[in-house]
Amino acid sequence: MNQDPDESFLKELFARFLENRCSEEEIILLMEYAEKEEYREIFSEMINRVGTEDHPAEEDLYAMHKEVIDGVAARITPPVPVRKEKTHRWLPYQVAAAVAFLLLAGGGWRWYSRSSSTSQVAQHTVAPALANDAAPAGKKAILILANGASVTLDSVASGLLTRQGQTQIIQSAGGSLLYSSAAGASAEPLYNSIITPRGGQYQVTLSDGTKVWLNAASTLRFPAAFTGTQRQVTLTGEAYFEVAKNADKPFLVTVNNLRVTVLGTSFNIMAYEDEAAVNTTLLDGAVKVTEGNNATLLQPGEQAQVVSQGNIRVVKHADLNAVMAWKNRLFWFEQDDIHTVMRQLSREYNIAVEIRGNIQRHFTGSIPRDVNVSTVLEVLEKTGGVHFTMNNGKIIVTP
């Protein structure tokens, strides 16, 4: 535009955004105006009004606006998580308003914490790194080959790493591992392991095309090429699987005594030893979860929780946003106590934690993982009831 817009133009553009009628160019234009100081009062007025408007719809309409909303959020640096609170149904107007309001933060982001019916919002802009700060998890892993040799994947160049039988092991330029198996692979399986340390994550594509994302402090053991009548891998820690479809050769994940059997589907397994349960969450397809003599078939959106040996509890409507947050580079808390929160931070940042005293505070909200630990601690501390100090690489937590 060659001249500054008037208030009526901005209101019309904002209304089009709320109704999901903005083009990509209009969204960018809206962002540019929202970031300008002279228009902030107008945008604040519009947001405050729209956010309190009563909308008759009872259905969750966020999905109708997801593409536009996520598109706006993705253009903000750092990326902004857009979420709905469990205790409150966010209508598309309110979600859109929240995204637009984020634009006013000048590149910052927000933490949402809900207590009873009151929503408390604290703005935070990323602070400079501290001297003893810890960086977020990066692409770090060690590959253990069948002959016992180890390769530190984050310190080797991209390209062909080695061959095992008829399988090529290739490191991609983007920092992931690819197993490419030719026809006629050896009938004798050669088992490899990929290990992510605390503070590391990695992605591997297995020889059948199955993609696996490993969270921090996890290990996946698998054959260089799948032979026989099934595809079997072993997991400790946490991983998200997108299994290549093969009706003639089921895919089997073993976690201690737990077995998850699939043909082709997407699911997440969380099996850290310091967590109370082993959780298998199905996103797409169908899986059978077996523990001892008990077995259950999951449908999309369900989660199998194994707390004690042989006991499987099925959650019919799992919180998929919470389950997939780690892969989407978010911390996602749902009324979690301080111990649950700090276990996640300890794995993500490879940092020791000591909790002193009785901390009653529970946390609900989402925070980007791609920030230093000091930033996360500062946001958590702003909610009240908890205090953090850094001492020789350890986080000290006190009431």
Side-chain angles (χ1 to χ4, degrees), residues 226-271:
F226 291 106
T227 61
T229 58
Q230 63 183 19
R231 300 167 287 169
Q232 184 168 357
V233 302
T234 303
L235 173 71
T236 60
E238 183 169 21
Y240 171 70
F241 294 80
E242 289 183 355
V243 176
K245 296 184 183 299
N246 187 340
D248 298 325
K249 188 176 288 189
F251 193 94
L252 180 65
V253 183
T254 301
V255 180
N256 298 325
N257 295 323
L258 179 72
R259 299 188 305 280
V260 178
T261 307
V262 304
L263 296 177
T265 189
S266 302
F267 61 98
N268 190 85
I269 299 179
M270 191 275 289

Side-chain angles (χ1 to χ4, degrees), residues 80-94:
V80 179
V82 180
R83 62 168 301 178
K84 300 176 294 175
E85 298 290 347
K86 268 188 170 182
T87 55
H88 176 72
R89 184 181 301 278
W90 281 35
L91 300 173
Y93 291 104
Q94 296 165 296

Side-chain angles (χ1 to χ4, degrees), residues 83 86 238 268 281 303 318-328 330-334 336 344 365-366 369:
R83 62 168 301 178
K86 268 188 170 182
E238 183 169 21
N268 190 85
T281 310
Q303 181 180 86
D319 188 341
L320 300 184
N321 286 324
V323 171
M324 296 305 299
W326 72 269
K327 182 176 176 293
N328 296 329
L330 292 174
F331 291 109
W332 192 285
F333 307 124
E334 296 284 356
D336 290 325
Q344 291 192 44
S366 58
R369 285 182 182 246

Side-chain angles (χ1 to χ4, degrees), residues 68-117:
V68 170
I69 292 168
D70 289 353
V72 175
R75 287 178 168 81
I76 302 172
T77 303
V80 179
V82 180
R83 62 168 301 178
K84 300 176 294 175
E85 298 290 347
K86 268 188 170 182
T87 55
H88 176 72
R89 184 181 301 278
W90 281 35
L91 300 173
Y93 291 104
Q94 296 165 296
V95 178
V99 176
F101 193 49
L102 286 164
L103 300 176
L104 304 181
W109 44 275
R110 285 178 148 68
W111 161 270
Y112 292 88
S113 176
R114 180 169 297 281
S115 176
S116 65
S117 61

